[in-house]
Amino acid sequence: MQARNSSAKQEGRTFIESARRAQIVNAAVEVIAEQGYANASFAKIAKQAGLSSTGMISYHFKGKDDLIREVIAEFLRLSGEYLTGKMDAESTLAGRLRAFIVARIAMLDEFPKHFVAAGEIINAVRIEDPDLRGLTPVWAATAAMQEQRFREGQQAGEFRDFDPRVMVLALHGAINEATVRASVEPDFDTAACGRELADLFEAATRKQS
């Protein structure tokens, strides 16, 4: 019922309202990426968005946690569209894994500020910010989905026998470290990193004949 109500609410928004929400979300991404989550006040976001007052934000979002959820939703939407487009071109699970890694690292160039902002929010979740605890299941669901993909690869005979949960931890750790380095190293080569990580996890998961 809640999902249907949410869908109906979105459908009921005017084009101008949707555009204003997108403007505010994009401004929030900019502020969080440049000044950090803790410093992302409504006043700074309103200024970044070119709004006359914070009341415009409060009109569209119930509070900071509501806005942050929308920032994450936008990040997930962009990620899903970009990654799915790359992965769907592959016919094997091993090929899809490689495409996922290469595309995921390439996104650091495509959407750099979204990744920095998402990282700031994730760190807030990790220290159990009460306003953001509801986001934790999102990351858990993503990990569970990736674990299932590894299991399917094993069942299909493409991957060797290993603990999918440990492999997901290793994959997330490698990608997260690449994300951090890309944000602080101007000459970080995302293309080379993507290829190397894809080679590494291909070798780590490949079933020996």
Side-chain angles (χ1 to χ4, degrees):
M1 181 64 70
Q2 184 176 0
R4 289 197 295 271
N5 288 342
S6 176
S7 177
K9 183 177 180 180
Q10 290 179 1
E11 291 175 0
R13 292 183 187 128
T14 67
F15 174 80
I16 294 176
E17 288 174 332
S18 296
R20 180 68 75 190
R21 283 175 64 88
Q23 178 186 8
I24 294 169
V25 169
N26 288 334
V29 169
E30 293 278 345
V31 172
I32 295 171
E34 295 175 3
Q35 301 185 44
Y37 169 78
N39 296 317
S41 65
F42 270 18
K44 292 179 179 179
I45 294 171
K47 181 178 180 180
Q48 178 68 36
L51 303 177
S52 59
S53 72
T54 60
M56 290 296 295
I57 301 178
S58 298
Y59 174 80
H60 291 282
F61 298 95
K62 296 178 181 178
K64 185 175 180 179
D65 60 330
D66 188 30
L67 175 55
I68 293 304
R69 290 174 193 278
E70 194 65 24
V71 169
I72 288 296
E74 175 66 5
F75 171 74
L76 294 175
R77 184 190 67 79
L78 289 173
S79 298
E81 290 180 355
Y82 189 86
L83 294 173
T84 299
K86 302 296 183 181
M87 294 169 64
D88 282 353
E90 300 295 330
S91 59
T92 66
L93 290 166
R96 289 173 65 84
L97 173 61
R98 183 176 189 86
F100 166 78
I101 294 172
V102 171
R104 175 60 177 75
I105 300 301
M107 285 184 65
L108 299 177
D109 285 337
E110 295 288 335
F111 311 106
K113 290 189 177 180
H114 282 81
F115 273 94
V116 174
E120 285 284 327
I121 295 169
I122 291 170
N123 287 336
V125 172
R126 285 175 176 166
I127 60 174
E128 298 186 340
D129 186 320
D131 292 334
L132 295 174
R133 286 177 183 168
L135 292 175
T136 303
V138 174
W139 314 125
T142 299
M145 178 180 65
Q146 291 173 330
E147 287 177 24
Q148 181 58 31
R149 286 175 178 168
F150 279 130
R151 291 190 181 92
E152 291 173 357
Q154 291 171 328
Q155 293 167 0
E158 294 185 42
F159 296 154
R160 68 174 179 81
D161 184 30
F162 57 79
D163 186 334
R165 180 169 295 183
V166 173
M167 193 64 71
V168 169
L169 287 174
L171 180 60
H172 284 190
I175 290 175
N176 290 342
E177 179 61 23
T179 301
V180 171
R181 289 187 58 186
S183 69
V184 298
E185 298 179 15
D187 59 346
F188 185 75
D189 190 337
T190 53
C193 178
R195 290 193 301 271
E196 289 289 340
L197 286 179
D199 289 344
L200 177 64
F201 281 93
E202 183 177 316
T205 58
R206 183 191 302 122
K207 185 174 183 178
Q208 299 298 323
S209 57

